[in-house]
């Protein structure tokens, strides 16, 4: 599937982003997600989200999935993530549902913040990025949204919802 203009916003974004299907299989991720976990992107796609958390965090990840199924999104969920080398880091997960044109659940867009690097400088970088991304999405909405096919519209709508959530997230309150 060719990358839409909306998805290009995520390609080299400072945030860890992944898209999963409704059963927790990773369909796509950005380079930040892959490099942070120490994998090549090709080693991530098609894998389950549970492969990136240690066993003692499976229950937290399961609870996160349960909340997502029940409410359509997850915010400020603290989960430990595991890198390929076995080391771990505390993360904050935000997920928002992705639907097709018939409102069937396709999966989610998920953003993860590494709590070990959440300092004022990084928070400012994230906030600037969120604002810039929303502006790009606004441009897409004005210029080409009506010409997009159903899949691209659904992808755009899901990303829009994700950035609407991220812009309102108080990252300073998450700092350890």
């Amino acid at each position: 599937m060719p990358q839409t203009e909306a998805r290009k916003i995520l390609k080299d974004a400072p945030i860890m982003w992944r898209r999963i299907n409704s059963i927790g299989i990773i369909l796509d991720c950005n380079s930040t997600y892959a490099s942070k976990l120490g994998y090549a992107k090709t080693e991530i796609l098609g894998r389950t989200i549970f492969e990136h958390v240690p066993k003692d965090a499976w229950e937290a990840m399961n609870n996160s999935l349960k909340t997502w199924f029940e409410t359509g999104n997850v915010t400020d969920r603290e989960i430990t993530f595991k890198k390929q080398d076995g080391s771990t880091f505390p993360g904050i997960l935000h997920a928002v549902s992705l639907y097709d044109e018939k409102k069937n659940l396709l999966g989610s867009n998920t953003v993860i913040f590494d709590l070990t690097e959440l300092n004022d400088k990084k928070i400012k970088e994230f906030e600037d990025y969120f604002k810039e991304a929303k502006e790009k999405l606004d441009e897409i909405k004005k210029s080409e949204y009506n010409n997009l096919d159903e899949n691209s519209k659904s992808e755009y709508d899901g990303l829009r919802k994700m950035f609407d959530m991220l812009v309102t997230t108080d990252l300073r309150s998450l700092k350890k």
Side-chain angles (χ1 to χ4, degrees):
M1 181 171 134
Q3 279 208 336
T4 62
E5 285 304 308
R7 186 152 5 136
K8 286 179 186 171
I9 292 169
L10 293 164
K11 189 174 181 316
D12 297 312
I15 55 172
M16 293 173 65
W17 168 83
R18 70 180 179 209
R19 174 188 297 163
I20 64 169
N21 67 12
S22 59
I23 57 168
I25 302 299
I26 300 170
L27 303 177
D28 198 5
C29 69
N30 67 358
S31 57
T32 307
Y33 182 87
S35 66
K36 191 91 173 120
L37 292 173
Y39 291 94
K41 188 173 171 176
T42 54
E43 296 175 295
I44 292 173
L45 304 185
R47 305 290 179 147
T48 167
I49 56 174
F50 288 93
E51 289 188 34
H52 300 143
V53 295
K55 274 203 172 26
D56 62 1
W58 284 10
E59 186 178 348
M61 184 60 87
N62 231 355
N63 290 339
S64 176
L65 278 173
K66 188 173 183 284
T67 300
W68 170 54
F69 282 134
E70 290 169 359
T71 67
N73 63 22
V74 176
T75 56
D76 299 340
R77 185 63 56 108
E78 190 164 343
I79 294 180
T80 301
F81 288 87
K82 181 177 74 176
K83 298 179 181 186
Q84 186 177 31
D85 68 9
S87 65
T88 61
F89 65 92
I92 292 285
L93 181 143
H94 290 261
V96 63
S97 290
L98 196 59
Y99 299 96
D100 67 13
E101 68 277 4
K102 294 181 184 73
K103 301 295 177 225
N104 295 312
L105 179 67
L106 295 174
S108 84
N109 280 311
T110 305
V111 171
I112 297 154
F113 298 100
D114 179 344
L115 286 175
T116 63
E117 59 178 40
L118 216 51
N119 56 39
D120 289 337
K121 183 178 178 210
K122 196 69 170 171
I123 288 170
K124 174 85 172 100
E125 180 187 354
F126 287 147
E127 289 171 343
D128 290 348
Y129 167 71
F130 298 156
K131 190 172 170 239
E132 189 181 305
K134 272 198 60 130
E135 287 167 4
K136 284 182 187 167
L137 288 169
D138 287 344
E139 284 173 31
I140 291 168
K141 184 77 170 185
K142 286 181 204 148
S143 64
E144 59 188 272
Y145 183 82
N146 291 332
N147 299 326
L148 296 175
D149 63 29
E150 290 305 320
N151 284 340
S152 297
K153 280 183 180 174
S154 142
E155 180 171 277
Y156 173 91
D157 294 342
L159 289 173
R160 181 65 197 221
K161 219 162 77 172
M162 181 184 84
F163 280 105
D164 286 345
M165 175 182 62
L166 291 172
V167 165
T168 62
T169 301
D170 180 7
L171 294 174
R172 282 172 180 74
S173 72
L174 304 177
K175 273 195 330 189
K176 290 286 179 205

